[in-house]
């Protein structure tokens, strides 16, 4: 029986092959492409008959992907999109069993290694993190970074994957990391649809790679449409390679090599990919391969039909220029195979794909059916003990009558049965409850695990090292504490790199990296252009390839320009691969207490809601920030660190162990002990809160001030909830908008930490106004929590509980 995963990456160099060997390679290629096409056809039918939820496939793109696979070697990387199934089959990074397992959302790593059923079909990934959290030897495997659905969203990551090869080739200090690279000889392959080249992320990535000169090979699959929208409404001149000609490298300049080839011409495709990738790999020149005259026989996806928007002439042209049909004709004309041999090959392949589909469906169905029957029997036994017998038997009948049942049907039936028998407490009900509890544990692992890697290498497991000071430790600017921290870490770990706008030559706008580029070189501390999305993507790709990147976004407000990469890609990586991939990127930025609409710097509600999967660190000063960096640089999970911009020139003591001490994530700190009221805040507002404490003490109010230090994770020791048991009153001070980060903190304390039961008065939040703050000190005073606001907010809560002792101010 043929196996789709047979590797098709042998070079098609006819000068070195006998004709028989040449025939075997071509026939094997066609078989893989034909099996892939059958998988697409069957996959669509499975969706339309209700067995699968949604389908999107790579039909019409098979031959180009066969050619691309020939140039792909061990150590190489892919960052592509949801049309690449033939390439994945041809390289052996996936197979038909895994294809159908993903289509049916099979929630097991062994069945769907890419995502364990968490991603829709044709979203690929290879697992490069072992069960214990250690790295797989990437130099000995073919590697696929995890796909995302957002078109163009994978491009920034592609830049980073390619940039890693440049660093591994040019920085000799990294040669010890030989499980991630063989002297930088790896190519990062990217694929994208022609419509998605209209995305800003594509252009930003394209420009950055041309500047950096990295081994990145972009293939554009051009079928002249983006769903229903034709190229004339997508691309100037209707031709992406035509408008990118200005990027073509010339003597003495950087740039690209640009190729154009027809998607149904097997020989030309093989020759083009061999030539382009050889250059890309050897010289680290980025290449664009524009594959034109492609087709999409089944339309965009199972959501609709392309007959609605394509003319009869276009549909006729597509039928004639189908890449597999053209390859078949060429094979017969070139005596590679006879028509009878092709018919036999196709018949065998068609049956094989159908057999694989049935096998995978039956395996999953049998698992669920076993659970369904077990649940039915338990409900029937419960029915014998209670008066709601008829209702429970009806639940069983409905469950048994489900067409293509899922686990949700089984669990829903159990839960309904328990609701119907809420008044009873029989032994059989206890059995049913125990069964549900066990299933809930299994389903939590299947569907809700691995938001973070959670391995032994997690930053949450980094040993706690207290800060130490010499007796004569001098007071220096906060920025100098950070600088000393970074210096110590760069010296300790050669894999640490930092980059961003103004990071290199001047050492960042606030001098945290001052002098370090001259000390450690411009490969380790690097200036970038103004391109926030690809700064994050650059860091993500490096982190996936074993380096320790610090990607700087100059101000917190500018984080919005990279939010799609942070949210869709980085934050979801561990979850969407169920721990199979990781990217321990540290994103460094600064915000809080600034002036002006675009330097207001506190959109934490947005960050908390869109970046679950990152640790969110909000240090109140640079010493705390340094301790967090010391943790994160020793861990393997991504994080965002937001420094206080108005703290760089405030004086702090220089720790004796500045590159070693740690500030554990998720550990709240009590900055001032108090008995009357709990005030929670973070970042720059904490300094104002501590000023308010002094005046409030004069008014007879004892304030307990808590700094959570990190918002994700939040106060894992329930320091806030314990404080409320003592004070019974709560104020949250936050620079974000009303109902944003303050609402998040409120939910954590009142609900998760059971703080509600300790309250004597309604909790209060003190936040910025709903608009962004205007320019100038007066604008900040009237827009964000001020010293007066904090004092009066605390006082008003005291007034509510004891108006005689604390009469109203106004």
């Amino acid at each position: 029986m043929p196996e789709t995963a047979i590797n098709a990456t042998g070079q098609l160099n006819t000068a070195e092959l006998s004709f028989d060997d040449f025939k075997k390679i071509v026939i094997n290629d066609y078989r893989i492409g034909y099996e892939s096409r059958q998988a697409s056809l069957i996959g669509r039918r499975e969706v339309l008959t209700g067995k699968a939820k949604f389908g999107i496939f790579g039909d019409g793109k098979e031959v180009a992907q066969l050619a691309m696979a020939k140039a792909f070697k061990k150590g190489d990387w892919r960052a592509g999109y949801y049309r690449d199934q033939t390439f994945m089959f041809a390289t052996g990074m996936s197979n038909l069993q895994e294809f159908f397992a993903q289509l049916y959302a099979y929630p097991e790593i062994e069945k769907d290694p890419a995502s364990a059923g968490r991603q829709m079909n044709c979203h690929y990934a290879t697992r490069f993190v072992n069960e214990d959290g250690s790295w797989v030897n990437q130099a000995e495997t073919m590697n696929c970074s995890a796909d995302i659905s957002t078109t163009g969203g994978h491009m920034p990551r592609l830049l980073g994957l390619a940039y890693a090869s440049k660093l591994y080739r040019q920085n000799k200090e990294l040669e010890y990391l030989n499980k991630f690279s063989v002297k930088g000889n790896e190519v990062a392959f990217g694929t994208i649809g022609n419509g998605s080249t209209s995305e800003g992320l594509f252009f930003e990535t394209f420009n950055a790679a041309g500047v950096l000169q990295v081994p990145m090979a972009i293939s554009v699959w051009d079928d002249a449409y983006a769903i229903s929208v034709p190229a004339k409404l997508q691309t100037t001149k209707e031709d992406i390679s035509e408008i990118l000609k200005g990027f073509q490298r010339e003597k003495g300049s950087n740039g690209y090599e640009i190729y154009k080839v027809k998607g149904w011409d097997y020989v030309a495709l093989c020759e083009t990919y061999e030539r382009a990738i050889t250059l890309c790999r050897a010289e680290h020149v980025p290449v664009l391969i524009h594959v034109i005259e492609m087709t999409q026989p089944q339309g965009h996806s199972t959501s609709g039909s392309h007959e609605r928007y394509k003319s009869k002439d276009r549909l006729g042209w597509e039928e004639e220029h189908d890449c597999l049909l053209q390859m078949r004709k060429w094979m017969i004309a070139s005596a590679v195979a006879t028509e009878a041999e092709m018919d036999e090959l196709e018949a065998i392949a068609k049956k094989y794909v159908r057999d694989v589909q049935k096998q995978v469906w039956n395996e999953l169905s049998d698992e669920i059916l076993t659970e369904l029957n077990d649940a039915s029997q338990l409900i029937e036994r419960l029915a014998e003990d209670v008066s709601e017998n008829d209702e429970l038997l009806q639940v069983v009948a409905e469950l048994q009558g489900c067409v293509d049942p899922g686990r949700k049907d089984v669990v829903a039936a159990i839960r309904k049965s328990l609701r119907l028998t809420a008044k009873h407490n029989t032994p059989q009900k206890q059995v049913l409850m125990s069964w549900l509890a066990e299933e809930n544990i299994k389903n939590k692992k299947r569907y809700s695990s691995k938001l973070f890697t959670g391995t032994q290498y997690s930053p949450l497991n980094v040993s706690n090292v207290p800060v130490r000071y010499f007796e004569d430790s001098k007071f220096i600017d906060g920025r100098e504490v950070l600088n000393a921290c970074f210096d110590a870490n760069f010296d300790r770990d050669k894999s640490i790199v930092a980059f961003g706008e103004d990071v290199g030559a001047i050492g960042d706008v606030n001098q945290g990296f001052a002098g370090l580029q001259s000390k450690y070189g411009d490969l380790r501390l690097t200036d970038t252009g103004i391109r926030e999305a690809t700064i994050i993507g650059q860091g993500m790709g490096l982190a996936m390839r074993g380096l320790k990147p610090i990607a700087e976004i100059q101000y917190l407000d500018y984080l919005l320009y990279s939010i799609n990469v942070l949210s869709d890609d980085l934050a979801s990586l561990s979850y969407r691969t169920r721990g199979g991939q990781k990217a321990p990127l540290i994103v460094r930025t600064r915000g809080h207490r600034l002036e002006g609409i675009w330097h207001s710097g506190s959109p934490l509600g947005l960050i908390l809601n869109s970046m679950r999967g990152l640790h969110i660190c909000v240090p109140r000063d640079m010493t705390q920030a340094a301790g967090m960096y010391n943790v994160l640089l020793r861990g393997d999970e991504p994080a965002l660190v937001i420094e206080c911009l108005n703290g760089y020139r405030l004086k702090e003591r220089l720790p004796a162990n500045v590159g070693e001490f740690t500030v554990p994530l998720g550990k709240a700190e009590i900055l001032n002990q108090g008995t009357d009221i709990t005030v929670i805040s973070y970042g720059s507002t904490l300094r104002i809160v501590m000023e308010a404490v002094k005046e409030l003490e004069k008014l007879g109010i004892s304030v307990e001030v808590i700094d959570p230090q990190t918002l994700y994770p939040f106060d894992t020791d329930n320091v806030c909830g314990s404080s409320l048991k003592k004070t019974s009153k709560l104020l949250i001070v936050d620079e974000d908008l009303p109902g944003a980060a303050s609402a998040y903190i409120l939910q954590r304390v009142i609900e998760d930490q059971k703080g509600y039961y300790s309250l004597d008065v309604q909790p209060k939040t003190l936040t910025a106004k709903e608009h962004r703050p205007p320019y100038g000190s007066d604008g900040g005073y009237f827009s964000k929590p001020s010293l007066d606001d904090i004092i009066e907010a605390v006082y008003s809560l005291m007034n509510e509980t004891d108006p005689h002792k604390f009469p109203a101010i106004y």
Side-chain angles (χ1 to χ4, degrees):
M1 186 64 67
E3 285 292 335
T4 301
I6 290 176
N7 193 294
T9 57
Q11 293 295 322
L12 188 68
N13 189 331
T14 54
E16 300 176 3
L17 292 174
S18 68
F19 187 66
D20 285 344
D21 288 338
F22 171 73
K23 285 174 58 175
K24 288 178 182 177
I25 290 174
V26 175
I27 290 171
N28 186 55
D29 279 354
Y30 184 81
R31 176 188 60 78
I32 293 171
Y34 191 82
E35 287 178 357
S36 180
R37 176 66 62 87
Q38 293 305 305
S40 297
L41 296 172
I42 293 172
R44 182 179 178 86
R45 288 200 293 269
E46 291 300 279
V47 173
L48 298 181
T49 58
K51 289 182 178 178
K53 187 83 171 176
F54 177 79
I56 196 159
F57 307 102
D59 46 300
K61 315 295 189 290
E62 293 91 351
V63 175
Q65 291 177 29
L66 292 168
M68 184 170 71
K70 293 182 181 302
F72 197 85
K73 296 181 177 180
K74 288 183 178 180
D76 286 347
W77 281 84
R78 169 189 171 273
Y81 83 127
Y82 43 70
R83 301 290 185 200
D84 291 347
Q85 69 201 49
T86 307
F87 172 79
M88 295 299 293
F89 296 161
T91 56
M93 288 191 287
S94 188
N95 57 45
L96 283 168
Q97 286 84 356
E98 294 169 2
F99 172 91
F100 285 111
Q102 192 174 59
L103 181 70
Y104 299 134
Y106 209 137
E108 304 296 338
I109 291 172
E110 295 74 19
K111 302 297 183 180
D112 171 21
S115 70
R118 293 180 177 184
Q119 292 232 76
M120 67 175 64
N121 76 299
C122 286
H123 286 59
Y124 293 103
T126 54
R127 305 188 73 77
F128 57 76
V129 178
N130 294 312
E131 194 69 28
D132 65 356
S134 61
W135 296 95
V136 169
N137 190 327
Q138 298 173 0
E140 295 180 353
T141 58
M142 293 182 175
N143 307 290
C144 174
S145 59
D147 290 349
I148 56 178
S149 292
T150 46
T151 60
H154 60 289
M155 296 302 293
R157 179 200 335 138
L158 174 66
L159 176 72
L161 294 171
Y163 184 59
S165 288
K166 176 177 179 175
L167 294 184
Y168 280 123
R169 177 173 288 183
Q170 296 187 13
N171 185 354
K172 303 306 179 185
E173 290 184 328
L174 298 176
E175 288 183 355
Y176 74 99
L177 294 171
N178 54 17
K179 69 162 55 176
F180 299 102
S181 176
V182 180
K183 298 181 179 179
N185 290 330
E186 307 80 29
V187 173
F189 288 68
T191 62
I192 189 168
N194 58 293
S196 297
T197 62
S198 299
E199 294 272 13
L201 292 180
F202 172 81
F203 283 98
E204 185 175 318
T205 301
F206 201 83
N207 179 64
V211 171
L212 292 172
Q213 289 294 279
V214 292
M216 183 177 84
I218 299 176
S219 295
V220 177
W221 306 145
D222 190 345
D223 57 27
Y225 285 85
I227 307 185
S228 68
V229 181
K232 67 181 180 181
L233 298 179
Q234 288 278 348
T235 310
T236 303
K237 300 183 180 181
E238 301 184 40
D239 191 319
I240 188 64
S241 59
E242 182 68 23
I243 64 173
L244 292 176
K245 280 184 176 179
F247 285 88
Q248 174 67 48
R249 66 174 182 158
E250 300 171 353
K251 188 175 181 180
S253 74
N254 55 16
Y256 278 74
E257 286 298 322
I258 299 175
Y259 304 83
K260 182 181 287 188
V261 61
K262 294 177 180 178
W264 47 265
D265 190 335
Y266 175 75
V267 175
L269 284 160
C270 291
E271 291 173 348
T272 299
Y273 272 98
E274 181 178 5
R275 184 164 64 252
I277 302 305
T278 297
L279 172 69
C280 184
R281 191 183 304 280
E283 299 184 26
H284 278 197
V285 174
V287 299
L288 172 70
I289 303 164
H290 184 195
V291 185
I292 61 172
E293 296 192 11
M294 285 187 143
T295 66
Q296 203 154 278
Q298 298 189 112
H300 174 74
S301 70
T302 54
S303 292
S305 170
H306 62 161
E307 285 85 356
R308 291 182 299 162
Y309 53 83
K310 288 179 182 175
S311 68
K312 289 183 179 180
D313 287 344
R314 174 67 193 189
L315 291 169
W317 182 92
E318 290 193 8
E319 187 175 349
E320 173 62 24
H321 288 81
D322 184 287
C323 62
L324 288 177
L325 175 63
Q326 290 292 327
M327 183 176 177
R328 188 186 203 274
K329 288 180 177 180
W330 170 80
M331 289 170 68
I332 294 170
S334 302
V336 171
T338 66
E339 190 163 353
E341 289 171 334
M342 297 297 290
D343 290 343
E344 182 182 13
L345 181 156
E346 291 172 356
I348 293 172
K350 188 178 293 187
K351 181 179 184 303
Y352 172 61
V353 176
R354 173 57 81 182
D355 288 345
V356 171
Q357 175 265 317
K358 289 179 179 177
Q359 174 195 346
V360 175
W361 173 254
N362 289 338
E363 287 177 0
L364 178 59
S365 297
D366 289 347
E367 284 185 18
I368 295 174
L369 188 59
T370 298
E371 296 172 17
L372 185 151
N373 289 333
D374 289 345
S376 297
Q377 291 177 14
L378 292 174
I379 297 171
E380 288 171 345
R381 290 172 190 165
L382 176 60
E384 296 173 359
D385 290 352
V386 297
S387 57
E388 294 83 3
N389 179 280
D390 290 342
E391 293 95 324
L392 290 176
L393 292 180
Q394 180 61 33
V395 171
V396 173
E398 292 174 358
L399 180 59
Q400 293 283 351
C402 282
V403 177
D404 299 330
R407 286 191 167 93
K408 66 180 181 64
D409 300 300
V410 178
V411 170
I414 294 289
R415 295 172 72 177
K416 185 174 183 178
S417 299
L418 292 173
R419 291 197 299 273
L420 288 170
T421 57
K423 297 178 181 178
H424 302 283
N425 190 22
T426 69
Q428 286 301 330
K429 184 177 179 182
Q430 292 300 318
V431 171
L432 196 61
M433 291 172 65
S434 297
W435 189 91
L436 178 61
E438 290 177 9
E439 288 302 304
N440 285 341
I441 292 172
K442 293 177 185 177
N443 288 325
K444 182 177 181 180
K445 181 179 180 181
R446 287 173 180 138
Y447 305 111
S448 299
S449 60
K450 293 292 184 179
L451 180 61
F452 291 90
T453 59
T455 70
Q456 60 183 319
Y457 305 105
S458 166
L460 301 183
N461 294 328
V462 171
S463 299
N464 187 22
V465 179
V467 63
R468 289 188 293 104
Y469 294 97
F470 295 119
E471 285 188 13
D472 58 349
S473 287
K474 58 182 179 179
F475 281 86
I476 59 177
D477 287 351
R479 62 183 176 83
E480 295 178 280
V481 174
L482 270 183
N483 186 265
C485 168
F486 289 137
D487 190 6
N489 278 288
F490 269 77
D491 183 65
R492 173 185 63 83
D493 187 344
K494 306 303 181 187
S495 69
I496 297 174
V497 295
F499 47 88
E501 298 156 21
D502 300 306
V503 162
I506 69 170
D508 87 52
V509 292
N510 296 101
Q511 301 292 281
F513 290 120
L516 299 187
Q517 187 184 72
S518 60
K519 185 173 183 179
Y520 296 105
D522 60 7
L523 287 174
R524 296 191 64 189
L525 290 105
T526 310
D527 287 312
T528 71
I530 300 175
R531 50 175 182 82
E532 285 79 12
T534 48
I535 288 173
I536 300 302
Q538 189 171 328
M540 184 175 178
L542 293 181
M544 296 173 90
R545 295 193 60 188
L547 296 169
K548 296 283 184 66
I550 303 171
E552 179 171 311
I553 302 298
Q554 197 163 85
Y555 295 106
L556 184 56
D557 305 79
Y558 304 165
L559 205 70
L560 271 68
Y561 291 92
S562 60
I563 197 82
N564 44 5
V565 185
L566 286 163
S567 181
D568 289 343
D569 206 356
L570 181 62
S572 71
L573 179 65
S574 179
Y575 173 78
R576 73 178 189 268
T577 60
R578 202 161 130 183
Q581 296 192 1
K582 61 181 177 180
L585 168 64
I586 299 172
V587 181
R588 179 191 181 215
T589 189
R590 52 193 64 82
H592 312 306
R593 307 307 295 179
L594 309 184
E595 294 177 343
I597 291 172
W598 285 280
H599 294 84
S600 52
S602 297
L604 267 299
L606 169 72
I607 290 167
L608 288 164
N609 284 318
S610 63
M611 296 186 199
R612 296 296 171 93
L614 271 71
H615 297 295
I616 309 298
C617 304
V618 284
R620 64 183 179 269
D621 57 35
M622 302 312 152
T623 302
Q624 299 305 100
M628 292 175 187
Y629 285 121
N630 288 337
V631 170
L632 295 169
L633 286 167
R634 291 165 171 81
D636 74 344
E637 295 171 348
L640 171 67
V641 182
I642 305 168
E643 300 164 10
C644 298
L645 190 134
N646 59 359
Y648 289 114
R649 297 190 180 278
L650 298 180
K651 300 300 181 182
E652 301 180 33
R653 288 180 72 193
L654 177 64
N657 56 344
V658 69
E660 299 171 5
F661 80 95
T662 59
V663 172
L665 308 187
K667 304 301 179 183
E669 184 177 358
I670 298 176
L671 302 186
N672 192 75
Q673 297 279 352
T675 56
D676 290 332
I677 185 170
T678 299
V679 177
I680 303 170
S681 190
Y682 61 89
S684 291
T685 47
L686 275 167
R687 284 195 289 276
I688 306 173
V689 170
M690 292 303 288
E691 288 181 45
V693 166
K694 299 173 186 176
E695 185 167 335
L696 288 164
E697 285 176 350
K698 296 175 183 177
L699 295 172
I701 301 172
S702 174
V703 182
E704 183 136 295
V705 181
I706 300 177
D707 176 9
Q709 303 201 91
T710 62
L711 296 181
Y712 207 89
F714 181 84
D715 186 15
T716 55
D717 294 333
N718 285 13
V719 172
C720 297
S722 298
S723 176
L724 270 186
K725 290 180 180 179
K726 176 172 54 174
T727 68
S728 302
K729 291 174 282 297
L730 174 64
L731 173 66
I732 297 167
V733 181
D734 178 26
E735 283 193 317
D736 203 355
L737 305 177
S742 58
Y744 165 81
I745 295 172
L746 199 62
Q747 185 271 332
R748 290 293 189 184
V749 176
I750 299 302
E751 186 177 339
D752 289 357
Q753 298 187 4
K754 314 295 186 200
Y756 171 82
Y757 299 100
S758 301
L759 292 173
D760 284 346
V761 65
Q762 177 180 315
K764 181 174 287 189
T765 63
L766 177 60
T767 69
K769 296 293 192 293
E770 293 190 8
H771 56 76
R772 297 188 185 191
Y775 173 67
S777 298
D778 287 346
Y781 177 85
F782 291 106
S783 300
K784 289 195 170 190
S786 67
L787 176 65
D788 298 313
D789 294 331
I790 294 169
I791 292 169
E792 292 176 8
V794 170
Y795 190 91
S796 69
L797 284 168
M798 300 303 298
N799 166 257
E800 283 191 53
T801 54
D802 193 344
H804 178 73
K805 185 176 180 181
F806 301 100
I809 297 174
Y810 300 108

